[in-house]
Amino acid sequence: MPSNKSVSDAPIVQFTNCRILRSHQLQREDLWVREGKILNPEKLFFDEKGSADIQLDCKDSIIAPGFIDVQINGGFGVDFSLATDDFKSGIDLVSQKILSHGVTSFCPTLVTSPPPVYHQVLPQISIRNGGAHGAGILGAHLEGPFISKEKKGAHPEHCLRTFEAGAFQDLLATYGSLDCVRIVTLAPEMKRSSEVIQELTKRGICVSLGHSVANLSQAEEAVQHGATFITHLFNAMLPFHHRDPGIVGLLTSDKIPPGRRVFYGMISDGIHTNPAALRIAHRAHPKGLVLVTDAIAGMGLAPGRHTLGQQVVEIDGLNTYIAGTKTLSGSVATMDTCVRHFQEATGCSVETALEAASLHPAQLLGIEHRKGTLNYDSDADFLMLNDGLYVQATYIAGEEVWRQDVLGM
């Protein structure tokens, strides 16, 4: 009788006594992993006549896909929008530290900056798999500088730009390279934005609408040209108005092309969005909600002064403001905190809360065949959580990369 070794010499690990998030439900079954992928146990038993080499008792934990943060500006003293000589060690530090918050992949985000910053920083961001060294990098999220002056939020006005002269060529000249870019946030009401959206989409870059005074028809036109995301819904855009709901209206628009889903980011930190607004968005369009931290360099540090690109930011409790103002500038929330707050604020199921931080961002980026689920053959990036949705352990490619120590420290 052939053993499992006839297919691969790699050990098979069986995670037992757990509830797995699969097909939108927590299911009481085992999780099987080999060579960094999730195995189909039926194939293993019947085709390979194989069995587990290692069994791990999960002690009734929830096993969920690893979280994916598509908007994170930095953390732990590191600011992705600052061009420094040791930028790589900074990004390595953040990718290591966010493992404890359940993040297994992320998009380092740069806020509006002068062109030399993009030219220096972007070549230092490389797309890579996660592992013991830290969470995987899916590509950069460039938030600005092609955004509205009226809704600039914490972005420095003197660095804002338009497309009027050369459209896509202006964008290329500003960023220098799009090699590692995954998401670009822009204001769709800008002249010539449609051709820019089409060019970015053609290159497989996700276009997000944000920091904008666009009305609904301008937002719908942007979606028809390829935009698929809304950057931190409700923040830095026109407030919902019943006669022209603006970008917010995309959540229930009937002008979205067939087969296309519009996703929207939400900073579920209890500061950026009132729980009632979070509930309205979730009930209007539950399958599009993507939890993001929008975390800044001060995440994980004591209150005080920190940076966000060109600006000085003050952290006061859970609030982050541009120094000397009451303009919110990113958050200090961690992803696991956002998941718990979202579940509590909306009363949604555990499954829904977990998918908003895993499946939905993977679908947004078109990587749901690899990440964001625990389907067979997908990457074995997953978390063990308790019933309160606190992360107990983080796994990437089937290897434990972080574990809460026994004292709960």
Side-chain angles (χ1 to χ4, degrees), residues 15 33 35-37 66-67 95-96 98-99 102-105 128-137 371 379-383 393-402:
F15 294 82
V33 174
E35 290 189 315
K37 298 284 183 189
F67 298 149
S95 64
Q96 176 70 52
I98 57 181
L99 295 174
V103 178
T104 53
S105 303
R128 67 179 187 210
N129 292 325
H133 58 274
I137 297 173
K371 301 201 182 286
D379 293 353
D381 297 355
F382 58 88
L383 314 174
T394 303
Y395 286 76
I396 293 181
E399 301 287 331
E400 183 182 293
V401 292
W402 180 83

PDB file of all heavy atoms in Angstrom, residues 15 33 35-37 66-67 95-96 98-99 102-105 128-137 371 379-383 393-402:
ATOM      1  N   PHE A  15      -4.468  19.487  12.473  1.00  0.00           N
ATOM      2  CA  PHE A  15      -4.922  20.307  13.592  1.00  0.00           C
ATOM      3  C   PHE A  15      -6.292  19.783  14.016  1.00  0.00           C
ATOM      4  O   PHE A  15      -7.240  19.792  13.220  1.00  0.00           O
ATOM      5  CB  PHE A  15      -5.011  21.773  13.171  1.00  0.00           C
ATOM      6  CG  PHE A  15      -3.673  22.391  12.845  1.00  0.00           C
ATOM      7  CD1 PHE A  15      -3.089  22.203  11.587  1.00  0.00           C
ATOM      8  CD2 PHE A  15      -2.986  23.143  13.782  1.00  0.00           C
ATOM      9  CE1 PHE A  15      -1.859  22.762  11.280  1.00  0.00           C
ATOM     10  CE2 PHE A  15      -1.748  23.707  13.495  1.00  0.00           C
ATOM     11  CZ  PHE A  15      -1.184  23.521  12.242  1.00  0.00           C
ATOM     12  N   VAL A  33      -2.525  20.188   6.841  1.00  0.00           N
ATOM     13  CA  VAL A  33      -1.577  21.079   6.168  1.00  0.00           C
ATOM     14  C   VAL A  33      -0.343  20.299   5.721  1.00  0.00           C
ATOM     15  O   VAL A  33       0.170  19.459   6.461  1.00  0.00           O
ATOM     16  CB  VAL A  33      -1.150  22.224   7.125  1.00  0.00           C
ATOM     17  CG1 VAL A  33      -0.052  23.065   6.504  1.00  0.00           C
ATOM     18  CG2 VAL A  33      -2.338  23.101   7.497  1.00  0.00           C
ATOM     19  N   GLU A  35       3.313  21.233   3.221  1.00  0.00           N
ATOM     20  CA  GLU A  35       4.092  22.121   2.345  1.00  0.00           C
ATOM     21  C   GLU A  35       3.454  23.495   2.193  1.00  0.00           C
ATOM     22  O   GLU A  35       3.377  24.044   1.090  1.00  0.00           O
ATOM     23  CB  GLU A  35       4.302  21.471   0.966  1.00  0.00           C
ATOM     24  CG  GLU A  35       5.249  20.283   1.019  1.00  0.00           C
ATOM     25  CD  GLU A  35       5.625  19.770  -0.357  1.00  0.00           C
ATOM     26  OE1 GLU A  35       4.725  19.643  -1.194  1.00  0.00           O
ATOM     27  OE2 GLU A  35       6.813  19.489  -0.568  1.00  0.00           O
ATOM     28  N   GLY A  36       2.972  24.040   3.313  1.00  0.00           N
ATOM     29  CA  GLY A  36       2.440  25.401   3.305  1.00  0.00           C
ATOM     30  C   GLY A  36       1.057  25.556   2.723  1.00  0.00           C
ATOM     31  O   GLY A  36       0.556  26.666   2.601  1.00  0.00           O
ATOM     32  N   LYS A  37       0.421  24.425   2.340  1.00  0.00           N
ATOM     33  CA  LYS A  37      -0.915  24.488   1.728  1.00  0.00           C
ATOM     34  C   LYS A  37      -1.909  23.686   2.569  1.00  0.00           C
ATOM     35  O   LYS A  37      -1.534  22.764   3.296  1.00  0.00           O
ATOM     36  CB  LYS A  37      -0.884  23.883   0.314  1.00  0.00           C
ATOM     37  CG  LYS A  37       0.034  24.607  -0.654  1.00  0.00           C
ATOM     38  CD  LYS A  37      -0.587  25.896  -1.131  1.00  0.00           C
ATOM     39  CE  LYS A  37       0.307  26.585  -2.163  1.00  0.00           C
ATOM     40  NZ  LYS A  37      -0.171  27.930  -2.477  1.00  0.00           N
ATOM     41  N   GLY A  66      -5.782  34.085   8.010  1.00  0.00           N
ATOM     42  CA  GLY A  66      -5.018  35.238   8.500  1.00  0.00           C
ATOM     43  C   GLY A  66      -5.618  36.541   8.007  1.00  0.00           C
ATOM     44  O   GLY A  66      -6.193  36.612   6.918  1.00  0.00           O
ATOM     45  N   PHE A  67      -5.475  37.591   8.819  1.00  0.00           N
ATOM     46  CA  PHE A  67      -6.009  38.897   8.444  1.00  0.00           C
ATOM     47  C   PHE A  67      -5.113  39.550   7.385  1.00  0.00           C
ATOM     48  O   PHE A  67      -3.893  39.352   7.373  1.00  0.00           O
ATOM     49  CB  PHE A  67      -6.093  39.821   9.665  1.00  0.00           C
ATOM     50  CG  PHE A  67      -7.015  39.320  10.759  1.00  0.00           C
ATOM     51  CD1 PHE A  67      -6.753  39.623  12.090  1.00  0.00           C
ATOM     52  CD2 PHE A  67      -8.140  38.562  10.464  1.00  0.00           C
ATOM     53  CE1 PHE A  67      -7.593  39.182  13.107  1.00  0.00           C
ATOM     54  CE2 PHE A  67      -8.993  38.106  11.467  1.00  0.00           C
ATOM     55  CZ  PHE A  67      -8.711  38.422  12.797  1.00  0.00           C
ATOM     56  N   SER A  95       6.285  44.291   9.895  1.00  0.00           N
ATOM     57  CA  SER A  95       5.745  42.999   9.439  1.00  0.00           C
ATOM     58  C   SER A  95       5.908  41.927  10.517  1.00  0.00           C
ATOM     59  O   SER A  95       5.071  41.033  10.640  1.00  0.00           O
ATOM     60  CB  SER A  95       6.372  42.560   8.110  1.00  0.00           C
ATOM     61  OG  SER A  95       7.737  42.327   8.242  1.00  0.00           O
ATOM     62  N   GLN A  96       6.935  42.042  11.336  1.00  0.00           N
ATOM     63  CA  GLN A  96       7.126  41.101  12.437  1.00  0.00           C
ATOM     64  C   GLN A  96       6.116  41.356  13.562  1.00  0.00           C
ATOM     65  O   GLN A  96       5.474  40.451  14.071  1.00  0.00           O
ATOM     66  CB  GLN A  96       8.559  41.262  12.971  1.00  0.00           C
ATOM     67  CG  GLN A  96       8.883  40.418  14.178  1.00  0.00           C
ATOM     68  CD  GLN A  96       8.975  38.938  13.868  1.00  0.00           C
ATOM     69  OE1 GLN A  96       9.687  38.542  12.974  1.00  0.00           O
ATOM     70  NE2 GLN A  96       8.244  38.114  14.579  1.00  0.00           N
ATOM     71  N   ILE A  98       3.169  42.900  13.582  1.00  0.00           N
ATOM     72  CA  ILE A  98       1.718  42.754  13.347  1.00  0.00           C
ATOM     73  C   ILE A  98       1.271  41.289  13.350  1.00  0.00           C
ATOM     74  O   ILE A  98       0.074  41.008  13.374  1.00  0.00           O
ATOM     75  CB  ILE A  98       1.248  43.464  12.055  1.00  0.00           C
ATOM     76  CG1 ILE A  98       1.998  42.981  10.816  1.00  0.00           C
ATOM     77  CG2 ILE A  98       1.349  44.966  12.208  1.00  0.00           C
ATOM     78  CD1 ILE A  98       1.571  43.678   9.523  1.00  0.00           C
ATOM     79  N   LEU A  99       2.228  40.361  13.395  1.00  0.00           N
ATOM     80  CA  LEU A  99       1.849  38.944  13.508  1.00  0.00           C
ATOM     81  C   LEU A  99       1.031  38.699  14.772  1.00  0.00           C
ATOM     82  O   LEU A  99       0.100  37.889  14.778  1.00  0.00           O
ATOM     83  CB  LEU A  99       3.100  38.058  13.539  1.00  0.00           C
ATOM     84  CG  LEU A  99       3.975  38.023  12.283  1.00  0.00           C
ATOM     85  CD1 LEU A  99       5.240  37.230  12.546  1.00  0.00           C
ATOM     86  CD2 LEU A  99       3.204  37.448  11.093  1.00  0.00           C
ATOM     87  N   GLY A 102      -2.607  39.151  14.314  1.00  0.00           N
ATOM     88  CA  GLY A 102      -3.287  38.268  13.372  1.00  0.00           C
ATOM     89  C   GLY A 102      -3.120  38.644  11.910  1.00  0.00           C
ATOM     90  O   GLY A 102      -3.735  38.029  11.042  1.00  0.00           O
ATOM     91  N   VAL A 103      -2.294  39.649  11.621  1.00  0.00           N
ATOM     92  CA  VAL A 103      -2.101  40.065  10.221  1.00  0.00           C
ATOM     93  C   VAL A 103      -1.024  39.190   9.586  1.00  0.00           C
ATOM     94  O   VAL A 103       0.109  39.150  10.065  1.00  0.00           O
ATOM     95  CB  VAL A 103      -1.716  41.556  10.124  1.00  0.00           C
ATOM     96  CG1 VAL A 103      -1.469  41.952   8.670  1.00  0.00           C
ATOM     97  CG2 VAL A 103      -2.814  42.432  10.726  1.00  0.00           C
ATOM     98  N   THR A 104      -1.399  38.489   8.519  1.00  0.00           N
ATOM     99  CA  THR A 104      -0.438  37.617   7.834  1.00  0.00           C
ATOM    100  C   THR A 104       0.002  38.186   6.480  1.00  0.00           C
ATOM    101  O   THR A 104       0.964  37.697   5.895  1.00  0.00           O
ATOM    102  CB  THR A 104      -1.027  36.206   7.635  1.00  0.00           C
ATOM    103  OG1 THR A 104      -2.297  36.315   6.980  1.00  0.00           O
ATOM    104  CG2 THR A 104      -1.219  35.498   8.972  1.00  0.00           C
ATOM    105  N   SER A 105      -0.728  39.213   5.973  1.00  0.00           N
ATOM    106  CA  SER A 105      -0.349  39.899   4.731  1.00  0.00           C
ATOM    107  C   SER A 105      -0.807  41.342   4.825  1.00  0.00           C
ATOM    108  O   SER A 105      -1.840  41.623   5.448  1.00  0.00           O
ATOM    109  CB  SER A 105      -1.023  39.278   3.502  1.00  0.00           C
ATOM    110  OG  SER A 105      -0.750  37.920   3.370  1.00  0.00           O
ATOM    111  N   ARG A 128       6.572  40.062  -1.187  1.00  0.00           N
ATOM    112  CA  ARG A 128       7.214  38.838  -0.682  1.00  0.00           C
ATOM    113  C   ARG A 128       6.225  38.038   0.163  1.00  0.00           C
ATOM    114  O   ARG A 128       5.258  38.576   0.693  1.00  0.00           O
ATOM    115  CB  ARG A 128       8.451  39.193   0.145  1.00  0.00           C
ATOM    116  CG  ARG A 128       8.117  39.923   1.438  1.00  0.00           C
ATOM    117  CD  ARG A 128       9.367  40.233   2.246  1.00  0.00           C
ATOM    118  NE  ARG A 128       9.036  40.771   3.557  1.00  0.00           N
ATOM    119  CZ  ARG A 128       9.793  41.616   4.230  1.00  0.00           C
ATOM    120  NH1 ARG A 128      10.927  42.040   3.718  1.00  0.00           N
ATOM    121  NH2 ARG A 128       9.432  42.043   5.433  1.00  0.00           N
ATOM    122  N   ASN A 129       6.513  36.749   0.277  1.00  0.00           N
ATOM    123  CA  ASN A 129       5.698  35.882   1.125  1.00  0.00           C
ATOM    124  C   ASN A 129       6.015  36.138   2.583  1.00  0.00           C
ATOM    125  O   ASN A 129       7.117  36.553   2.936  1.00  0.00           O
ATOM    126  CB  ASN A 129       5.982  34.409   0.799  1.00  0.00           C
ATOM    127  CG  ASN A 129       5.494  34.037  -0.589  1.00  0.00           C
ATOM    128  OD1 ASN A 129       4.478  34.541  -1.042  1.00  0.00           O
ATOM    129  ND2 ASN A 129       6.230  33.170  -1.257  1.00  0.00           N
ATOM    130  N   GLY A 130       5.033  35.827   3.421  1.00  0.00           N
ATOM    131  CA  GLY A 130       5.262  35.926   4.852  1.00  0.00           C
ATOM    132  C   GLY A 130       5.983  34.695   5.367  1.00  0.00           C
ATOM    133  O   GLY A 130       6.202  33.717   4.649  1.00  0.00           O
ATOM    134  N   GLY A 131       6.362  34.741   6.631  1.00  0.00           N
ATOM    135  CA  GLY A 131       7.038  33.618   7.268  1.00  0.00           C
ATOM    136  C   GLY A 131       7.424  34.019   8.677  1.00  0.00           C
ATOM    137  O   GLY A 131       6.898  34.990   9.219  1.00  0.00           O
ATOM    138  N   ALA A 132       8.380  33.309   9.241  1.00  0.00           N
ATOM    139  CA  ALA A 132       8.823  33.622  10.603  1.00  0.00           C
ATOM    140  C   ALA A 132       9.351  35.052  10.684  1.00  0.00           C
ATOM    141  O   ALA A 132       9.322  35.681  11.744  1.00  0.00           O
ATOM    142  CB  ALA A 132       9.902  32.633  11.027  1.00  0.00           C
ATOM    143  N   HIS A 133       9.842  35.587   9.550  1.00  0.00           N
ATOM    144  CA  HIS A 133      10.379  36.957   9.528  1.00  0.00           C
ATOM    145  C   HIS A 133       9.275  37.996   9.629  1.00  0.00           C
ATOM    146  O   HIS A 133       9.531  39.147   9.957  1.00  0.00           O
ATOM    147  CB  HIS A 133      11.181  37.188   8.241  1.00  0.00           C
ATOM    148  CG  HIS A 133      10.368  36.956   6.998  1.00  0.00           C
ATOM    149  ND1 HIS A 133      10.232  35.700   6.438  1.00  0.00           N
ATOM    150  CD2 HIS A 133       9.620  37.790   6.236  1.00  0.00           C
ATOM    151  CE1 HIS A 133       9.442  35.790   5.369  1.00  0.00           C
ATOM    152  NE2 HIS A 133       9.055  37.034   5.236  1.00  0.00           N
ATOM    153  N   GLY A 134       8.016  37.624   9.304  1.00  0.00           N
ATOM    154  CA  GLY A 134       6.929  38.594   9.399  1.00  0.00           C
ATOM    155  C   GLY A 134       5.849  38.359   8.359  1.00  0.00           C
ATOM    156  O   GLY A 134       5.920  37.422   7.565  1.00  0.00           O
ATOM    157  N   ALA A 135       4.845  39.236   8.393  1.00  0.00           N
ATOM    158  CA  ALA A 135       3.709  39.127   7.466  1.00  0.00           C
ATOM    159  C   ALA A 135       4.165  39.369   6.037  1.00  0.00           C
ATOM    160  O   ALA A 135       5.130  40.093   5.787  1.00  0.00           O
ATOM    161  CB  ALA A 135       2.639  40.148   7.861  1.00  0.00           C
ATOM    162  N   GLY A 136       3.463  38.752   5.087  1.00  0.00           N
ATOM    163  CA  GLY A 136       3.780  38.931   3.675  1.00  0.00           C
ATOM    164  C   GLY A 136       3.411  40.328   3.182  1.00  0.00           C
ATOM    165  O   GLY A 136       2.505  40.968   3.714  1.00  0.00           O
ATOM    166  N   ILE A 137       4.136  40.801   2.178  1.00  0.00           N
ATOM    167  CA  ILE A 137       3.865  42.122   1.590  1.00  0.00           C
ATOM    168  C   ILE A 137       3.214  41.908   0.224  1.00  0.00           C
ATOM    169  O   ILE A 137       3.777  41.254  -0.656  1.00  0.00           O
ATOM    170  CB  ILE A 137       5.163  42.945   1.470  1.00  0.00           C
ATOM    171  CG1 ILE A 137       5.742  43.198   2.866  1.00  0.00           C
ATOM    172  CG2 ILE A 137       4.895  44.256   0.746  1.00  0.00           C
ATOM    173  CD1 ILE A 137       7.105  43.862   2.871  1.00  0.00           C
ATOM    174  N   LYS A 371      -5.414  33.221  -0.708  1.00  0.00           N
ATOM    175  CA  LYS A 371      -5.449  33.756   0.656  1.00  0.00           C
ATOM    176  C   LYS A 371      -6.869  34.162   1.028  1.00  0.00           C
ATOM    177  O   LYS A 371      -7.739  34.291   0.176  1.00  0.00           O
ATOM    178  CB  LYS A 371      -4.514  34.979   0.772  1.00  0.00           C
ATOM    179  CG  LYS A 371      -3.074  34.635   0.416  1.00  0.00           C
ATOM    180  CD  LYS A 371      -2.083  35.614   0.972  1.00  0.00           C
ATOM    181  CE  LYS A 371      -0.657  35.281   0.556  1.00  0.00           C
ATOM    182  NZ  LYS A 371      -0.105  34.125   1.263  1.00  0.00           N
ATOM    183  N   ASP A 379      -3.152  28.898   0.590  1.00  0.00           N
ATOM    184  CA  ASP A 379      -2.006  29.058   1.490  1.00  0.00           C
ATOM    185  C   ASP A 379      -2.446  28.827   2.932  1.00  0.00           C
ATOM    186  O   ASP A 379      -3.491  29.330   3.348  1.00  0.00           O
ATOM    187  CB  ASP A 379      -1.436  30.480   1.376  1.00  0.00           C
ATOM    188  CG  ASP A 379      -0.799  30.740   0.018  1.00  0.00           C
ATOM    189  OD1 ASP A 379      -0.678  29.779  -0.769  1.00  0.00           O
ATOM    190  OD2 ASP A 379      -0.440  31.895  -0.267  1.00  0.00           O
ATOM    191  N   ALA A 380      -1.635  28.117   3.680  1.00  0.00           N
ATOM    192  CA  ALA A 380      -1.989  27.810   5.069  1.00  0.00           C
ATOM    193  C   ALA A 380      -1.581  28.964   5.993  1.00  0.00           C
ATOM    194  O   ALA A 380      -0.761  28.828   6.889  1.00  0.00           O
ATOM    195  CB  ALA A 380      -1.321  26.502   5.496  1.00  0.00           C
ATOM    196  N   ASP A 381      -2.185  30.148   5.712  1.00  0.00           N
ATOM    197  CA  ASP A 381      -2.006  31.324   6.571  1.00  0.00           C
ATOM    198  C   ASP A 381      -3.252  31.404   7.439  1.00  0.00           C
ATOM    199  O   ASP A 381      -4.343  31.705   6.930  1.00  0.00           O
ATOM    200  CB  ASP A 381      -1.911  32.607   5.734  1.00  0.00           C
ATOM    201  CG  ASP A 381      -0.696  32.635   4.810  1.00  0.00           C
ATOM    202  OD1 ASP A 381       0.128  31.713   4.883  1.00  0.00           O
ATOM    203  OD2 ASP A 381      -0.588  33.586   4.016  1.00  0.00           O
ATOM    204  N   PHE A 382      -3.117  31.141   8.723  1.00  0.00           N
ATOM    205  CA  PHE A 382      -4.325  31.109   9.549  1.00  0.00           C
ATOM    206  C   PHE A 382      -4.015  31.483  10.994  1.00  0.00           C
ATOM    207  O   PHE A 382      -2.856  31.566  11.411  1.00  0.00           O
ATOM    208  CB  PHE A 382      -5.015  29.737   9.468  1.00  0.00           C
ATOM    209  CG  PHE A 382      -4.168  28.562   9.878  1.00  0.00           C
ATOM    210  CD1 PHE A 382      -4.108  28.146  11.194  1.00  0.00           C
ATOM    211  CD2 PHE A 382      -3.430  27.854   8.917  1.00  0.00           C
ATOM    212  CE1 PHE A 382      -3.320  27.052  11.561  1.00  0.00           C
ATOM    213  CE2 PHE A 382      -2.647  26.775   9.274  1.00  0.00           C
ATOM    214  CZ  PHE A 382      -2.589  26.365  10.607  1.00  0.00           C
ATOM    215  N   LEU A 383      -5.097  31.700  11.741  1.00  0.00           N
ATOM    216  CA  LEU A 383      -5.012  32.122  13.132  1.00  0.00           C
ATOM    217  C   LEU A 383      -5.744  31.137  14.015  1.00  0.00           C
ATOM    218  O   LEU A 383      -6.737  30.544  13.588  1.00  0.00           O
ATOM    219  CB  LEU A 383      -5.674  33.493  13.331  1.00  0.00           C
ATOM    220  CG  LEU A 383      -5.336  34.576  12.318  1.00  0.00           C
ATOM    221  CD1 LEU A 383      -6.180  35.811  12.576  1.00  0.00           C
ATOM    222  CD2 LEU A 383      -3.857  34.901  12.387  1.00  0.00           C
ATOM    223  N   ALA A 393      -2.599  32.331  18.375  1.00  0.00           N
ATOM    224  CA  ALA A 393      -1.418  31.933  17.600  1.00  0.00           C
ATOM    225  C   ALA A 393      -1.628  32.319  16.141  1.00  0.00           C
ATOM    226  O   ALA A 393      -2.763  32.383  15.664  1.00  0.00           O
ATOM    227  CB  ALA A 393      -1.164  30.432  17.713  1.00  0.00           C
ATOM    228  N   THR A 394      -0.524  32.602  15.461  1.00  0.00           N
ATOM    229  CA  THR A 394      -0.551  32.982  14.046  1.00  0.00           C
ATOM    230  C   THR A 394       0.336  32.016  13.272  1.00  0.00           C
ATOM    231  O   THR A 394       1.470  31.737  13.690  1.00  0.00           O
ATOM    232  CB  THR A 394      -0.030  34.428  13.874  1.00  0.00           C
ATOM    233  OG1 THR A 394      -0.827  35.309  14.675  1.00  0.00           O
ATOM    234  CG2 THR A 394      -0.103  34.874  12.420  1.00  0.00           C
ATOM    235  N   TYR A 395      -0.190  31.517  12.165  1.00  0.00           N
ATOM    236  CA  TYR A 395       0.544  30.576  11.296  1.00  0.00           C
ATOM    237  C   TYR A 395       0.650  31.157   9.886  1.00  0.00           C
ATOM    238  O   TYR A 395      -0.319  31.707   9.365  1.00  0.00           O
ATOM    239  CB  TYR A 395      -0.204  29.236  11.213  1.00  0.00           C
ATOM    240  CG  TYR A 395      -0.094  28.379  12.452  1.00  0.00           C
ATOM    241  CD1 TYR A 395      -0.828  28.671  13.590  1.00  0.00           C
ATOM    242  CD2 TYR A 395       0.760  27.270  12.484  1.00  0.00           C
ATOM    243  CE1 TYR A 395      -0.732  27.893  14.744  1.00  0.00           C
ATOM    244  CE2 TYR A 395       0.866  26.478  13.630  1.00  0.00           C
ATOM    245  CZ  TYR A 395       0.119  26.795  14.750  1.00  0.00           C
ATOM    246  OH  TYR A 395       0.226  26.028  15.878  1.00  0.00           O
ATOM    247  N   ILE A 396       1.819  31.016   9.292  1.00  0.00           N
ATOM    248  CA  ILE A 396       2.006  31.379   7.874  1.00  0.00           C
ATOM    249  C   ILE A 396       2.624  30.180   7.173  1.00  0.00           C
ATOM    250  O   ILE A 396       3.603  29.607   7.666  1.00  0.00           O
ATOM    251  CB  ILE A 396       2.896  32.627   7.721  1.00  0.00           C
ATOM    252  CG1 ILE A 396       2.165  33.875   8.281  1.00  0.00           C
ATOM    253  CG2 ILE A 396       3.269  32.858   6.255  1.00  0.00           C
ATOM    254  CD1 ILE A 396       2.944  35.166   8.154  1.00  0.00           C
ATOM    255  N   ALA A 397       2.027  29.791   6.049  1.00  0.00           N
ATOM    256  CA  ALA A 397       2.470  28.605   5.301  1.00  0.00           C
ATOM    257  C   ALA A 397       2.560  27.383   6.218  1.00  0.00           C
ATOM    258  O   ALA A 397       3.454  26.552   6.097  1.00  0.00           O
ATOM    259  CB  ALA A 397       3.805  28.865   4.603  1.00  0.00           C
ATOM    260  N   GLY A 398       1.606  27.304   7.158  1.00  0.00           N
ATOM    261  CA  GLY A 398       1.529  26.137   8.044  1.00  0.00           C
ATOM    262  C   GLY A 398       2.502  26.144   9.202  1.00  0.00           C
ATOM    263  O   GLY A 398       2.485  25.238  10.035  1.00  0.00           O
ATOM    264  N   GLU A 399       3.366  27.167   9.299  1.00  0.00           N
ATOM    265  CA  GLU A 399       4.360  27.244  10.381  1.00  0.00           C
ATOM    266  C   GLU A 399       3.912  28.267  11.416  1.00  0.00           C
ATOM    267  O   GLU A 399       3.483  29.372  11.058  1.00  0.00           O
ATOM    268  CB  GLU A 399       5.729  27.682   9.820  1.00  0.00           C
ATOM    269  CG  GLU A 399       6.308  26.762   8.765  1.00  0.00           C
ATOM    270  CD  GLU A 399       6.814  25.447   9.333  1.00  0.00           C
ATOM    271  OE1 GLU A 399       7.229  25.436  10.507  1.00  0.00           O
ATOM    272  OE2 GLU A 399       6.776  24.443   8.603  1.00  0.00           O
ATOM    273  N   GLU A 400       4.052  27.914  12.674  1.00  0.00           N
ATOM    274  CA  GLU A 400       3.710  28.861  13.731  1.00  0.00           C
ATOM    275  C   GLU A 400       4.728  30.006  13.740  1.00  0.00           C
ATOM    276  O   GLU A 400       5.930  29.776  13.834  1.00  0.00           O
ATOM    277  CB  GLU A 400       3.722  28.149  15.084  1.00  0.00           C
ATOM    278  CG  GLU A 400       3.314  29.057  16.240  1.00  0.00           C
ATOM    279  CD  GLU A 400       3.392  28.345  17.581  1.00  0.00           C
ATOM    280  OE1 GLU A 400       2.596  27.423  17.796  1.00  0.00           O
ATOM    281  OE2 GLU A 400       4.284  28.703  18.378  1.00  0.00           O
ATOM    282  N   VAL A 401       4.235  31.250  13.599  1.00  0.00           N
ATOM    283  CA  VAL A 401       5.143  32.403  13.568  1.00  0.00           C
ATOM    284  C   VAL A 401       4.951  33.308  14.783  1.00  0.00           C
ATOM    285  O   VAL A 401       5.758  34.206  15.035  1.00  0.00           O
ATOM    286  CB  VAL A 401       4.962  33.225  12.269  1.00  0.00           C
ATOM    287  CG1 VAL A 401       5.432  32.418  11.062  1.00  0.00           C
ATOM    288  CG2 VAL A 401       3.512  33.674  12.075  1.00  0.00           C
ATOM    289  N   TRP A 402       3.880  33.086  15.541  1.00  0.00           N
ATOM    290  CA  TRP A 402       3.664  33.850  16.778  1.00  0.00           C
ATOM    291  C   TRP A 402       2.703  33.066  17.661  1.00  0.00           C
ATOM    292  O   TRP A 402       1.776  32.440  17.151  1.00  0.00           O
ATOM    293  CB  TRP A 402       3.078  35.243  16.499  1.00  0.00           C
ATOM    294  CG  TRP A 402       2.869  36.012  17.766  1.00  0.00           C
ATOM    295  CD1 TRP A 402       3.793  36.734  18.450  1.00  0.00           C
ATOM    296  CD2 TRP A 402       1.652  36.094  18.551  1.00  0.00           C
ATOM    297  NE1 TRP A 402       3.237  37.267  19.599  1.00  0.00           N
ATOM    298  CE2 TRP A 402       1.929  36.890  19.672  1.00  0.00           C
ATOM    299  CE3 TRP A 402       0.358  35.565  18.397  1.00  0.00           C
ATOM    300  CZ2 TRP A 402       0.968  37.179  20.643  1.00  0.00           C
ATOM    301  CZ3 TRP A 402      -0.591  35.839  19.351  1.00  0.00           C
ATOM    302  CH2 TRP A 402      -0.291  36.648  20.466  1.00  0.00           C
TER     303      TRP A 402
END
